[in-house]
Amino acid sequence: MESPPLTDDTVRLALVGQVLRRRWRLLAALAVLGALVGAGASILFSPGYKTTSGVLLQGPRQADELLTQAEIATASVVLDRAAAVLPWHPSGADLKKQVSAAVAQSNVVTITVSADTAEHAQQLADQVAQQYVKYSTQLASNSADASVQLAQEQRESLRQQVKLTTEKISDLAKNVGGNLTVESVQVRTQLEGLRTSLEQAINDLNQADLATGVGNTVVLGPSQRPTSPAAPTMTQFVAGGAVLFFLVGVFGHLFTARADRRLRGEPEIASALGAPILAGVDVATPQGDRLPANGLFGKVRRLLGGDRPWVLPPVATSADEVNRDIRYRRVLARLATGPADVLLLVADDDETGRLAAGQLAELADRLSVPLRIFEYSAERPTVPDATADSGVLVVLGSGTRTAWQLIRLAEACTDGSQEIVGAVLTHAVRPAAPEKPEPAAEAPEKALAGSA
């Protein structure tokens, strides 16, 4: 039965599974770090407890005037006065970040405050609203605006008109007799006209008084005490930071794997070098495919499981030394039909390649095969010039070089007139555990002594 073809989604899911399985300790550490960062961010950015208080502005108001009143609600004078009354004695500058005001519908200024506790939030909202009403009333009473002076003059004129009209009515009422004459009817008509004028004057006076009450502000009521912190809370910050850092770790691994251009397959390596792969050999290292844990950073990296590649299959356990020696002998046997003088090329940063080259040179020395090791710079490869009947054998670890690095190495060999006879691909393996010796049989006399 044929297996289904691999799609991009299948490959991504496989990579995510490898990240979760092989780097779970690193991802867990990133999640803990994200939770700590979120807890620190909550101290700086969490609003704490929030509540609101409303102040009604009586009378008709223009839009610009409402915006001005919202600015007055958060003025430094209002906040300083509120801070002086509050029992925990904050400063006005501190309250500037905790108080905001906005204009709602129906001429209502909504004051929103935040504090560290529910009690402080309620007290702060009530005090800011009260101090705003006091300050707004003070501004209205001390205003010397021309419109206020005109309204006062109109009210005084109306009062004088009402007073004069009342006096005329009283004088005419005294002069009216009880007889129904033409004169009495005319007088009564005049009195009715005066009463109408008086009523109109009184109405105008009332409207003027209503207009003077435009500056009145009233607190709609005490603010409510909040029952829970406002979002985002510390728990939300901690959870968000942990999830964010965890996802950053996963996607960082996926991005690194996608950006990794190092070759691991034999056909790709052979194509980049322009030479065949003669053999693949195992290199037993004490740590397998682990990076050396040098210094504090290396120890932390090993503790978090970041000292081994996660995109490669788990390193296999090495066979015995005899089997590894057979593979190295096969490499030398395949070189027997090539040039007489073979130069082993190995990069200066390739640990497994250097170990394999050393073992090949040691075995070649025992078998009297001429082999020389030359370490080249991985960044700027250079190769010695060719001699009579010479060639080079490239020794490199799997997944250590990109295609362009191998191409530059092949160009350096071409510049030195060196022929690449082949390449040896090395694989890091874990040394096999030594077998435990079987316990020696007890001597007959000791067995008899034990049985006695």
Side-chain angles (χ1 to χ4, degrees):
M1 183 177 179
E2 296 183 358
S3 59
L6 294 178
T7 61
D8 293 341
D9 294 337
T10 305
V11 173
R12 292 191 188 97
L13 291 176
L15 290 176
V16 172
Q18 290 183 6
V19 174
L20 297 178
R21 184 171 62 255
R22 300 183 184 178
R23 292 294 175 89
W24 65 268
R25 286 187 290 180
L26 178 60
L27 295 178
L30 287 176
V32 173
L33 178 61
L36 295 177
V37 172
S42 67
I43 299 176
L44 299 176
F45 302 107
S46 181
Y49 291 84
K50 277 189 174 182
T51 188
T52 59
S53 180
V55 177
L56 175 63
L57 305 179
Q58 295 180 351
R61 301 279 179 160
Q62 299 295 328
D64 295 341
E65 186 180 359
L66 292 176
L67 294 177
T68 303
Q69 291 296 327
E71 293 293 333
I72 294 175
T74 57
S76 300
V77 177
V78 176
L79 299 181
D80 290 339
R81 292 180 180 180
V85 179
L86 291 173
W88 67 91
H89 303 297
S91 63
D94 296 336
L95 298 183
K96 191 69 176 179
K97 302 177 181 179
Q98 302 175 232
V99 180
S100 62
V103 179
Q105 296 179 354
S106 302
N107 294 358
V108 175
V109 175
T110 303
I111 300 173
T112 304
V113 302
S114 60
D116 53 349
T117 63
E119 182 181 4
H120 287 178
Q122 184 183 27
Q123 293 176 356
L124 178 57
D126 292 339
Q127 285 299 326
V128 171
Q130 293 176 10
Q131 297 301 329
Y132 162 60
V133 170
K134 292 180 180 179
Y135 184 61
S136 178
T137 304
Q138 181 182 359
L139 289 178
S141 61
N142 296 334
S143 176
D145 191 77
S147 61
V148 176
Q149 294 180 358
L150 180 60
Q152 292 176 353
E153 293 175 359
Q154 290 177 351
R155 287 197 301 270
E156 186 63 27
S157 176
L158 289 172
R159 289 191 181 94
Q160 294 295 331
Q161 183 180 356
V162 170
K163 182 178 179 181
L164 293 175
T165 304
T166 303
E167 292 177 353
K168 288 182 179 181
I169 292 174
S170 300
D171 295 340
L172 291 173
K174 294 178 181 179
N175 297 327
V176 175
N179 298 325
L180 295 175
T181 61
V182 177
E183 291 80 2
S184 64
V185 173
Q186 291 179 351
V187 171
R188 290 178 181 177
T189 303
Q190 292 178 358
L191 290 176
E192 290 297 330
L194 291 174
R195 287 193 183 96
T196 303
S197 300
L198 180 60
E199 291 176 357
Q200 183 64 36
I202 293 174
N203 291 334
D204 293 342
L205 181 61
N206 293 333
Q207 291 180 359
D209 291 338
L210 180 61
T212 58
V214 168
N216 294 336
T217 55
V218 180
V219 180
L220 294 180
S223 60
Q224 294 182 354
R225 177 172 296 186
T227 58
S228 60
T233 62
M234 175 176 286
T235 303
Q236 294 172 341
F237 268 108
V238 170
V243 173
L244 178 61
F245 274 60
F246 179 83
L247 293 178
V248 168
V250 173
F251 285 104
H253 280 82
L254 297 180
F255 177 78
T256 304
R258 189 170 183 83
D260 188 5
R261 302 299 181 184
R262 293 175 295 182
L263 302 181
R264 295 178 175 86
E266 293 186 3
E268 293 83 3
I269 295 176
S271 176
L273 277 176
I277 304 296
L278 297 183
V281 297
D282 295 338
V283 179
T285 57
Q287 67 273 10
D289 58 348
R290 291 179 179 270
L291 297 175
N294 298 327
L296 179 62
F297 178 74
K299 293 179 181 179
V300 173
R301 182 175 55 190
R302 173 164 293 188
L303 177 64
L304 299 178
D307 59 339
R308 59 175 51 181
W310 62 273
V311 293
L312 298 178
V315 63
T317 302
S318 171
D320 54 15
E321 187 176 354
V322 175
N323 290 329
R324 294 197 303 271
D325 188 70
I326 291 174
R327 293 190 177 186
Y328 287 107
R329 288 177 181 272
R330 288 175 181 172
V331 174
L332 296 180
R334 291 169 183 173
L335 292 176
T337 58
D341 185 14
V342 178
L343 186 67
L344 295 181
L345 292 182
V346 60
D348 54 0
D349 60 349
D350 189 352
E351 294 295 331
T352 58
R354 294 170 62 184
L355 291 175
Q359 294 180 13
L360 278 173
E362 181 181 356
L363 181 59
D365 185 57
R366 294 203 306 264
L367 299 178
S368 300
V369 177
L371 283 181
R372 293 180 295 114
I373 300 177
F374 179 78
E375 292 187 6
Y376 66 90
S377 173
E379 299 298 329
R380 300 176 61 89
T382 56
V383 179
D385 294 335
T387 59
D389 194 15
S390 65
V392 295
L393 176 65
V394 180
V395 183
L396 72 156
S398 176
T400 58
R401 292 289 170 264
T402 64
W404 286 110
Q405 288 176 332
L406 295 180
I407 291 174
R408 285 198 295 267
L409 178 60
E411 292 176 350
C413 294
T414 303
D415 293 340
S417 301
Q418 294 279 11
E419 178 188 1
I420 303 179
V421 298
V424 176
L425 197 60
T426 65
H427 304 277
V429 293
R430 186 183 301 108
E435 298 182 358
K436 295 182 179 180
E438 296 182 358
E442 294 181 342
E445 57 274 10
K446 289 185 179 182
L448 292 176
S451 62

